[in-house]
Amino acid sequence: MIQVISLTVLLIAAFSGAAETSGSHQSCSKDQNPLILPAHRWSCSAGAPLEITTHTLLDSLPLDEVKDNSVRTVRRCAFSQSTPTPLRGALQLAALSKDVLENVLELDESVMQNEDVVQFLSGGKLFLGSFPLAHRYGGHQCSVCYHSVWLLGRAAGRWKGTFTGKGERWELQIKGSGKTPYSRSGDGRAVLRSSVREFLCSEAMHFLGIPTSRALSLVVSEEAVWRDQFYNGSVRKEKGAVVLRLAPSWFRIGSLEVLTRAGELDILRMLLNFVIDQHFTAIKPNAPNKYVAFFSAVVNETANMIAKWMSVGFAHGVCNTDNFSLLSITIDYGPFGFMEAYNPNFVPNSSDDEGRYSIGAQADVGLFNLQKLLEALLPVLSLDQRSQAEQILEEYPQIYHRRFHEQFKAKLGLLGDEEDDAYLIAFLLKLMEDTGSDFTMTFRQLSEVTLLQLQNNSIPQELWALWDLSSHEYFSDWVKLYSQRIGSQPGDSEETRTGRMTAVNPCYVLRNWMAESAIRKAENNDFSEVALLQQVLTEPFVKQMKAESAGYSSRTPAWASQLRVSCSS
């Protein structure tokens, strides 16, 4: 197994050595089926009705012959037809992404006046042309000592259809809409707290510039859902909720693994060809090496995605192969967390006792998952192609380290490449680790402080993260090296450096305490903080008065010190 030196180990080692179409806007008529939402009032900004379709998926990939939601072992297909189970009780549209509505789906905000809109967004009614599907996939779990595999198929949500607008293809999916053939012992529901977190984080990550799925809406129900949040026997009643989310594709590494393990190599080729044709258009369909080219693209973009995660201090929490997209976008938000005090062993998931998915391990986990992808591809590769793919995988550590350093050089405002840049980054992270400095705000406040203030150690008191950092005995040594590096950049002024750094170092990320505060209010039908966070996180690089008043760039409040999230969160 190739070892990727985890990002922090690599950097600390450096320091010690020296002192991550088919939809169309065609006209369509009413459908009298009570499960179909008429499209005549869902108008695009251009005025034409919106049609959702699943034709491309269904024409290209096999469908389960059984036509119900009964839980069973499914074979010889990519999807099962699976009708959503409507939420019971009064429904409330708790949150909506105007950006997704208008700029992705190209719908006018007036569509929200449709009396049936909440039913559509929750899965209670289906949009004209949609054909709800549950996807069959499996997955591997990575650990230091072992790995396990489940291959019965799973479904986090249902495909509602495919939409194409502005030349982009999006697959719509509802999460929390009831049982599917893959639910096993689960009820197929999602609870309010996890749905709030997914809605807010997927949108927040988009505006941070991280490849991600999107979320259109959050619908809340009074239907009782029973959950043991921390798996300790404490079951409680919670509110049900549904998130309608979008991605260019929901296929993941586990989509291929389940087919290889089942020996369904004809369907494996079908799925690979579909994904390449739809999403990897630079690869020629008849190219003899197209599967190797596909693997190379996924290796490169997975390294890029994880490096971007690291640049904002994001830990996914459950990096199983079934949660790793073939398009290398962030999907399936569960027990994620944004690191506060810098700690390479930060684990957001209280269920992860072994720390297998700590923030510092994510690069290695990415390698593990790519190895599982390669294993899934082996039956369709020749011996020579296998050798090529293995060589590509061996290059992953170098690709990741290069992408990581690109991200962190930008965060420090460094231009060009200097031999000692890796050491400068490693030195800073070691100071942050020793002092427990806040990850997000240390970089943000470095963007705001002047070099003269750093050199004179006259840091304004409101720059609290830098105050923490400056307590380190080697802080002045780092400042000297940093000042020399910045000063060596010809034509670079304080103003341009500040502008460059504030554009990549956010003021605001979705810290767990912020999400928890919004969730507690939402559980009492107060969605004001969900709305506030949604607004703030659409401009994470810009200081905002409401956000400052809410303390979103301040120290973590004392009450939040014991917060935990789990796979049920």
Side-chain angles (χ1 to χ4, degrees):
M1 173 178 177
I2 305 163
Q3 292 295 323
V4 178
I5 303 172
S6 74
L7 100 95
T8 307
V9 172
L10 170 77
L11 296 178
I12 290 177
F15 171 75
S16 302
E20 187 177 311
T21 79
S22 59
S24 61
H25 296 158
Q26 302 168 358
S27 60
C28 41
S29 60
K30 281 189 183 182
D31 190 307
Q32 299 306 311
N33 186 324
L35 287 179
I36 300 296
L37 178 67
H40 65 292
R41 292 183 62 186
W42 283 74
S43 297
C44 305
S45 55
L50 171 70
E51 183 180 339
I52 304 295
T53 180
T54 51
H55 292 171
T56 301
L57 287 169
L58 294 176
D59 291 344
S60 304
L61 299 166
L63 186 66
D64 184 8
E65 294 181 355
V66 182
K67 309 295 184 186
D68 62 51
N69 289 353
S70 61
V71 178
R72 59 190 184 276
T73 299
V74 181
R75 301 290 185 191
R76 300 293 308 166
C77 69
F79 296 102
S80 296
Q81 184 176 347
S82 181
T83 304
T85 304
L87 289 163
R88 294 188 296 273
L91 301 179
Q92 180 177 359
L93 179 59
L96 180 80
S97 170
K98 186 178 179 182
D99 182 68
V100 171
L101 183 73
E102 296 182 348
N103 297 324
V104 176
L105 296 179
E106 301 181 76
L107 293 170
D108 191 270
E109 197 171 7
S110 63
V111 302
M112 304 312 296
Q113 298 170 10
N114 190 310
E115 61 185 15
D116 288 326
V117 68
V118 176
Q119 287 292 333
F120 164 67
L121 297 175
S122 67
K125 291 189 176 182
L126 303 182
F127 199 74
L128 184 63
S130 63
F131 190 87
L133 303 171
H135 177 40
R136 174 184 173 220
Y137 61 87
H140 268 90
Q141 184 180 81
C142 175
S143 178
V144 175
C145 300
Y146 68 91
H147 67 265
S148 59
V149 62
W150 49 92
L151 288 153
L152 294 177
R154 304 178 66 206
R158 286 176 172 82
W159 260 270
K160 288 195 71 148
T162 302
F163 165 78
T164 302
K166 296 183 178 178
E168 298 176 335
R169 180 181 181 277
W170 293 88
E171 294 174 359
L172 280 64
Q173 191 185 77
I174 44 177
K175 182 175 181 179
S177 57
K179 284 190 174 184
T180 75
Y182 311 107
S183 296
R184 295 183 289 182
S185 59
D187 58 14
R189 292 300 192 200
V191 294
L192 175 61
R193 57 187 158 79
S194 62
S195 301
V196 166
R197 285 168 56 82
E198 170 134 13
F199 176 84
L200 288 175
C201 197
S202 54
E203 289 303 282
M205 291 282 273
H206 169 73
F207 289 103
L208 284 169
I210 313 298
T212 181
S213 57
R214 303 293 304 274
L216 171 64
S217 58
L218 168 65
V219 173
V220 180
S221 167
E222 294 299 324
E223 178 178 339
V225 178
W226 296 89
R227 285 292 184 273
D228 182 355
Q229 182 177 0
F230 296 111
Y231 310 106
N232 58 6
S234 180
V235 180
R236 68 184 181 100
K237 183 172 71 173
E238 302 188 48
K239 290 183 179 179
V242 168
V243 173
L244 195 159
R245 54 190 193 169
L246 303 84
S249 173
W250 290 99
F251 290 119
R252 65 259 340 261
I253 293 175
S255 303
L256 303 178
E257 285 185 289
V258 71
L259 299 173
T260 300
R261 182 59 65 94
E264 299 170 9
L265 303 187
D266 54 338
I267 302 177
L268 174 67
R269 288 188 179 89
M270 288 181 200
L271 182 50
L272 277 169
N273 293 339
F274 177 83
V275 170
I276 291 170
D277 291 347
Q278 292 289 322
H279 303 289
F280 293 81
T281 54
I283 302 174
K284 294 180 179 179
N286 297 322
N289 254 20
K290 67 177 180 179
Y291 297 148
V292 174
F294 161 75
F295 181 67
S296 178
V298 177
V299 168
N300 275 273
E301 291 310 311
T302 297
N304 183 54
M305 177 186 70
I306 297 175
K308 285 180 175 289
W309 287 358
M310 304 305 295
S311 74
V312 294
F314 175 80
H316 184 281
V318 186
C319 296
N320 303 332
T321 58
D322 55 301
N323 292 332
F324 260 51
S325 160
L326 290 176
L327 270 58
S328 305
I329 60 173
T330 316
I331 58 172
D332 294 351
Y333 291 91
F336 65 83
F338 285 87
M339 178 170 57
E340 298 192 13
Y342 179 77
N343 174 11
N345 297 315
F346 167 63
V347 178
N349 181 2
S350 64
S351 306
D352 185 3
D353 296 329
E354 298 178 18
R356 64 174 65 93
Y357 296 144
S358 67
I359 192 168
Q362 289 185 137
D364 285 314
V365 173
L367 174 61
F368 177 93
N369 290 347
L370 291 168
Q371 287 176 315
K372 296 305 166 189
L373 173 59
L374 177 54
E375 290 173 15
L377 294 176
L378 288 180
V380 298
L381 301 179
S382 67
L383 290 177
D384 181 60
Q385 289 170 337
R386 291 181 184 186
S387 178
Q388 292 177 48
E390 288 168 357
Q391 186 174 349
I392 289 167
L393 190 59
E394 288 177 359
E395 295 170 359
Y396 169 84
Q398 290 72 38
I399 298 169
Y400 171 75
H401 292 146
R402 183 170 64 251
R403 298 289 177 85
F404 171 82
H405 283 107
E406 288 170 357
Q407 295 292 325
F408 277 78
K409 282 196 301 180
K411 290 176 75 66
L412 287 175
L414 307 183
L415 300 175
D417 293 308
E418 296 290 341
E419 186 177 348
D420 293 334
D421 287 348
Y423 173 75
L424 188 65
I425 297 168
F427 196 164
L428 175 61
L429 293 182
K430 185 66 170 74
L431 300 186
M432 292 171 65
E433 183 177 12
D434 289 350
T435 57
S437 299
D438 186 88
F439 179 84
T440 299
M441 295 312 298
T442 294
F443 281 102
R444 178 66 189 197
Q445 291 170 10
L446 277 172
S447 309
E448 299 169 345
V449 73
T450 67
L451 286 179
L452 187 60
Q453 288 171 327
L454 281 176
Q455 292 162 351
N456 294 338
N457 203 10
S458 57
I459 299 168
Q461 204 162 10
E462 62 267 22
L463 303 183
W464 53 271
L466 283 187
W467 266 66
D468 293 346
L469 189 70
S470 67
S471 67
H472 200 287
E473 60 178 322
Y474 293 126
F475 176 72
S476 60
D477 295 332
W478 182 83
V479 168
K480 182 178 179 179
L481 292 174
Y482 181 61
S483 299
Q484 290 173 346
R485 176 65 172 86
I486 292 293
S488 70
Q489 299 179 164
D492 193 26
S493 67
E494 191 82 71
E495 183 179 3
T496 56
R497 176 190 69 86
T498 297
R500 198 165 60 247
M501 292 176 66
T502 54
V504 296
N505 289 309
C507 296
Y508 315 111
V509 294
L510 184 62
R511 299 170 186 264
N512 275 338
W513 73 264
M514 293 157 58
E516 179 66 19
S517 177
I519 288 166
R520 291 180 182 182
K521 292 176 182 175
E523 287 175 338
N524 291 309
N525 291 320
D526 176 1
F527 298 99
S528 60
E529 191 159 14
V530 172
L532 174 60
L533 281 170
Q534 183 185 0
Q535 178 185 357
V536 167
L537 294 170
T538 59
E539 294 187 289
F541 303 102
V542 179
K543 278 198 172 181
Q544 302 167 50
M545 289 184 61
K546 288 183 178 179
E548 295 301 302
S549 297
Y552 292 162
S553 66
S554 301
R555 292 186 186 276
T556 299
W559 64 264
S561 61
Q562 301 302 314
L563 279 181
R564 298 187 302 152
V565 293
S566 71
C567 287
S568 176
S569 298

